[in-house]
Amino acid sequence: MNVPTSDTTLEREWGRLRRVQLMQLVRAGSEPGLSPLAIELLRAVVEAGEIRASDLANQLFVTKTSISRHVNEMLSERLLTQRPDPSDGRATLLGVSLTGRRALEKREARRSTVLRELCEGWPEGDVTILTTLIQRLNDGIQERRLSERQLAKE
């Protein structure tokens, strides 16, 4: 009999989380057409205030082609705004429109509600521990991606 190790259990549970469980709950009440990348893109632009598409691609670890496609779609949907970069006439700066901000706020509110409902009845300490561990995991992923990018440049 194979006894699952903590590694295989972690992999299985991570897969369940990503594939089905949380993501479907959050997306169920979301605006149609807003992909996970579009949401991350909106969030990154909100945090930056204004940002070049190339910088956004680097920050989100996606190709410039992918960002360009998403940005063009989001500009046509009026989720983003665009203006010339005063420091470089060839470049443009992206911002989030009021429509984009509302879409992001709606998605974030939905996610907060789902997470709050899922953790209802949990001891507050457990929610704090989970938050800390997810933050540590995200930080580790970010560090690894930056390290891999640096190695690829060498």
Side-chain angles (χ1 to χ4, degrees), residues 93-144:
L93 294 173
L94 299 171
V96 176
S97 69
L98 183 57
T99 301
R101 193 171 298 276
R102 285 182 182 150
L104 180 61
E105 287 170 357
K106 187 173 181 179
R107 175 70 174 259
E108 301 263 308
R110 169 74 178 146
R111 184 173 59 185
S112 292
T113 298
V114 168
L115 288 170
R116 192 171 39 258
E117 289 170 355
L118 290 171
C119 295
E120 201 170 38
W122 287 27
E124 185 62 34
D126 286 359
V127 175
T128 301
I129 290 168
L130 177 62
T131 302
T132 300
L133 293 174
I134 290 172
Q135 183 178 19
R136 189 191 303 160
L137 180 62
N138 281 328
D139 290 347
I141 292 168
Q142 179 80 8
E143 288 173 22
R144 182 173 182 152

Side-chain angles (χ1 to χ4, degrees), residues 7-150:
D7 286 346
T8 59
T9 302
L10 175 60
E11 288 177 32
R12 184 178 61 249
E13 294 306 316
W14 180 258
R16 286 180 59 208
L17 178 69
R18 296 263 315 144
R19 273 191 316 275
V20 185
Q21 310 294 342
L22 180 60
M23 302 309 173
Q24 286 184 355
L25 287 172
V26 172
R27 289 181 189 144
S30 298
E31 296 289 321
L34 289 180
S35 70
L37 179 56
I39 294 299
E40 288 306 310
L41 196 150
L42 283 172
R43 187 177 295 116
V45 176
V46 165
E47 289 173 2
E50 289 185 312
I51 190 169
R52 290 182 182 188
S54 59
D55 294 334
L56 190 57
N58 285 331
Q59 183 177 329
L60 297 177
F61 298 97
V62 297
T63 64
K64 291 178 184 175
T65 303
S66 180
I67 281 292
S68 179
R69 185 177 66 251
H70 275 81
V71 164
N72 286 333
E73 288 174 16
M74 295 171 77
L75 285 167
S76 69
E77 294 170 7
R78 295 195 165 104
L79 297 169
L80 294 175
T81 61
Q82 188 176 35
R83 71 177 185 91
D85 184 342
S87 67
D88 181 352
R90 300 166 296 162
T92 59
L93 294 173
L94 299 171
V96 176
S97 69
L98 183 57
T99 301
R101 193 171 298 276
R102 285 182 182 150
L104 180 61
E105 287 170 357
K106 187 173 181 179
R107 175 70 174 259
E108 301 263 308
R110 169 74 178 146
R111 184 173 59 185
S112 292
T113 298
V114 168
L115 288 170
R116 192 171 39 258
E117 289 170 355
L118 290 171
C119 295
E120 201 170 38
W122 287 27
E124 185 62 34
D126 286 359
V127 175
T128 301
I129 290 168
L130 177 62
T131 302
T132 300
L133 293 174
I134 290 172
Q135 183 178 19
R136 189 191 303 160
L137 180 62
N138 281 328
D139 290 347
I141 292 168
Q142 179 80 8
E143 288 173 22
R144 182 173 182 152
R145 292 177 95 179
L146 290 171
S147 175
E148 288 173 352
R149 180 186 287 160
Q150 189 61 34

